[in-house]
Amino acid sequence: GAEARLAAWVVLEQGVAVDVPALREALRRRLPELMIPSLFMILPSFPLTPNGKIDRQALPGPETGGATSQAPYAPPHSAIEEMLVEIWQELLGIDRVGVDDHFFDLGGHSLLATRLMARVRDVLGVNIPLSALFENSPTVAGLAQAIAHFQVSQADEDDLATALLELASLSDDEARALLASEEEG
């Protein structure tokens, strides 16, 4: 079925042009990421009930076809970015995702973010925390960078663990000999 998306209906003052990226940025300074609408519906005026309140039933429904990014399209540059673009397109139901597109602007939300990290784990074999999506820029490029950083730190930890296991298996004399050869080299 269709995923739920947070939408906002906006009525602009006379002569004011809509700047959706600026609107999102202003909201990001005041609200948690999960509360930023992925879709902004611009109306000439709000429909009103006979007693002057906003008639919620008369508000137009969101257009079909999903949200679109305000960022200019930037293609993937690496294998990780290519895989992430495919995952995002599948999860978000969007035909084209660029590496600078913002996950939440495209209709992403907390449940989809959790699914995204599960797919990253399944496809790339990397188990990075959900917080990586929020702490880095929640873009394909930002997540790819977080994944690469995590892979490097994980490799360093694995190398250290392997070296410690090898050291633990050596006798004292073998360990002294190894250290002496390291100091000479």
Side-chain angles (χ1 to χ4, degrees):
E3 291 287 340
R5 295 204 166 140
L6 190 58
W9 288 267
V10 179
V11 174
L12 301 171
E13 289 180 13
Q14 192 69 34
V16 175
V18 66
D19 182 353
V20 173
L23 189 53
R24 281 195 175 110
E25 201 48 51
L27 290 172
R28 279 194 179 102
R29 287 193 291 273
R30 294 183 175 87
L31 297 171
E33 189 63 56
L34 301 174
M35 294 177 70
I36 308 298
S38 62
L39 186 62
F40 290 85
M41 308 275 299
I42 310 303
L43 302 176
S45 63
F46 286 116
L48 302 177
T49 62
N51 56 1
K53 294 185 177 177
I54 293 177
D55 185 352
R56 293 172 188 249
Q57 272 71 42
L59 287 170
E63 295 102 359
T64 56
T68 56
S69 174
Q70 299 295 320
Y73 177 74
H77 304 298
S78 69
I80 291 176
E81 286 182 353
E82 284 178 23
M83 285 187 254
L84 287 175
V85 163
E86 288 178 23
I87 293 169
W88 285 35
Q89 288 174 173
E90 177 190 325
L91 282 178
L92 296 167
I94 296 174
D95 293 334
R96 189 169 88 159
V97 172
V99 296
D100 296 326
D101 290 344
H102 194 284
F103 183 73
F104 299 100
D105 292 353
L106 294 177
H109 49 75
S110 56
L111 179 61
L112 279 180
T114 305
R115 286 190 203 155
L116 170 64
M117 292 318 207
R119 294 280 293 133
V120 165
R121 184 182 61 243
D122 295 345
V123 173
L124 297 172
V126 179
N127 192 14
I128 63 173
L130 182 60
S131 59
L133 184 65
F134 296 94
E135 290 166 3
N136 298 280
S137 175
T139 62
V140 167
L143 188 56
Q145 194 172 8
I147 289 169
H149 178 76
F150 184 82
Q151 286 174 326
V152 167
S153 67
Q154 194 61 49
D156 290 347
E157 286 176 27
D158 292 347
D159 291 346
L160 179 61
T162 302
L164 289 174
L165 284 172
E166 287 173 7
L167 272 177
S169 69
L170 298 177
S171 69
D172 288 348
D173 289 340
E174 289 171 322
R176 279 192 208 91
L178 181 64
L179 286 173
S181 70
E182 285 291 321
E183 287 175 5
E184 289 170 14

